[in-house]
């Protein structure tokens, strides 16, 4: 059985993840574009594990750091089996929830807050990505979730992972789903605009804001309509 403190070189890391060595080299060497250390060092820092051997000519990382990284970004399931990955090039997202490498600090029991959803073995919170976040947040489809995100009508991501993909925690998604009725009521209430007046036919109209030509014209036409209303039959007629 492999020891957690066993040191793995880049080739061994690649074999464990089921990828080419060049991928392991990038995880070791290439910093994130959004800021921060390279992925493997980020995870080591999150776990508060020193990795002096990573500075050697033949860099090595503790196995527990490598496993935590692979579980965090979707290469490995909780039981350390390889997670199914889509084929093809380009940035992919995990097919299932992943595990944050940091042990979560749970709310105080006396606070009345619901405990975080965590992996029982590591204590890390579960990360949800777009393919499985939409349903937990109460959206009808992944397309709807993605479209709503572009319009600012979806929950903000809780973070960007080591491979620079957005993720959400369960509590964020569940809170968004729970707040859906209130947001819907507020959205429909904002569509009801009280009229500024009524035409002589009883139709409501709304003046445009400000002292502009169209608002003055609408007011003038309404006033003229009242003044020019013809008298009833027999009234003031010769």
């Amino acid at each position: 059985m492999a020891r957690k403190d066993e040191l793995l070189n880049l080739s061994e890391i690649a074999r464990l993840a089921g990828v080419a060595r060049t991928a392991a080299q990038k995880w070791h060497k290439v910093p994130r574009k959004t800021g921060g250390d390279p992925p493997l060092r980020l995870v080591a820092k999150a776990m508060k594990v020193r990795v002096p051997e990573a500075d050697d000519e033949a860099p090595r990382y503790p196995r527990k750091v490598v496993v935590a990284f692979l579980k965090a970004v979707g290469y490995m399931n909780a039981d350390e089996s390889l997670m199914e990955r889509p084929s093809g090039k380009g940035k992919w997202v995990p097919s299932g929830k992943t595990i944050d490498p940091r042990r979560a600090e749970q709310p105080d029991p006396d606070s009345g807050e619901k405990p975080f959803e965590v992996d029982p073995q590591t204590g890390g919170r579960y990360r949800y990505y777009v393919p499985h976040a939409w349903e937990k947040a109460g959206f009808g489809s992944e397309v709807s979730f993605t479209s709503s995100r572009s319009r600012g009508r979806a929950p903000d991501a809780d973070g960007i992972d080591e491979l620079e993909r957005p993720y959400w925690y369960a509590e964020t998604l569940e809170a968004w789903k729970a707040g859906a009725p209130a947001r819907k009521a507020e959205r429909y209430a904002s569509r009801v605009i009280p009229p500024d007046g009524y035409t002589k036919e009883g139709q409501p109209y709304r003046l445009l804001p400000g002292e502009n030509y169209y608002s003055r014209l609408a007011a003038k036409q309404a006033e003229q309509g009242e003044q020019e209303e013809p008298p009833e039959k027999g009234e003031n007629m010769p």
Side-chain angles (χ1 to χ4, degrees):
M1 184 175 179
R3 301 194 320 271
K4 291 184 178 181
D5 59 351
E6 177 187 359
L7 296 176
L8 304 179
N9 61 35
L10 297 184
S11 295
E12 291 168 330
I13 292 172
R15 283 198 296 272
L16 189 62
V19 298
R21 188 181 184 282
T22 52
Q25 177 74 11
K26 287 177 63 177
W27 298 340
H28 157 67
K29 194 171 184 179
V30 181
R32 298 196 314 173
K33 295 178 182 178
T34 51
D37 295 323
L40 285 169
R41 290 181 184 270
L42 272 178
V43 171
K45 187 179 294 185
M47 298 174 68
K48 299 180 180 178
V49 175
R50 293 182 66 253
V51 288
E53 296 85 1
D55 298 320
D56 294 346
E57 289 187 12
R60 294 172 298 162
Y61 288 85
R63 189 179 191 280
K64 63 181 178 182
V65 170
V66 176
V67 168
F69 164 70
L70 297 177
K71 288 182 178 181
V73 298
Y75 279 87
M76 192 176 274
N77 294 307
D79 62 0
E80 297 191 18
S81 62
L82 290 180
M83 184 180 288
E84 182 181 355
R85 298 196 302 273
S87 59
K89 297 180 180 180
K91 185 174 288 189
W92 56 274
V93 289
S95 58
K97 61 187 179 183
T98 69
I99 303 170
D100 198 292
R102 297 162 292 188
R103 175 172 287 274
E105 185 175 337
Q106 293 284 10
D108 190 293
D110 297 329
S111 68
E113 295 182 37
K114 181 182 176 181
F116 297 139
E117 181 184 284
V118 300
D119 172 61
Q121 182 177 354
T122 66
R125 297 176 74 174
Y126 289 120
R127 295 172 173 177
Y128 290 81
Y129 293 77
V130 171
H132 32 94
W134 63 267
E135 189 171 10
K136 203 168 187 67
F139 285 81
S141 66
E142 182 178 335
V143 172
S144 174
F145 182 70
T146 302
S147 176
S148 295
R149 283 193 68 211
S150 67
R151 298 197 301 268
R153 296 179 182 174
D156 292 333
D158 286 304
I160 304 295
D161 77 357
E162 293 75 14
L163 300 183
E164 303 186 274
R165 302 164 302 184
Y167 66 82
W168 293 260
Y169 293 130
E171 294 73 25
T172 300
L173 301 172
E174 290 169 352
W176 183 268
K177 183 177 182 178
R183 288 193 304 276
K184 184 176 181 180
E186 183 180 354
R187 186 166 65 251
Y188 277 98
S190 66
R191 296 178 183 177
V192 179
I193 303 174
D196 288 322
Y198 293 86
T199 66
K200 62 180 182 180
E201 290 83 12
Q203 296 297 321
Y205 66 85
R206 181 164 177 76
L207 299 178
L208 297 174
E211 293 295 325
N212 57 57
Y213 168 77
Y214 293 103
S215 64
R216 293 196 302 271
L217 179 61
K220 184 177 181 180
Q221 289 176 342
E223 183 180 350
Q224 287 178 346
E226 294 176 359
Q227 293 176 353
E228 296 174 2
E229 185 174 350
E232 294 184 5
K233 187 175 182 181
E235 182 180 338
N236 295 328
M237 295 185 68

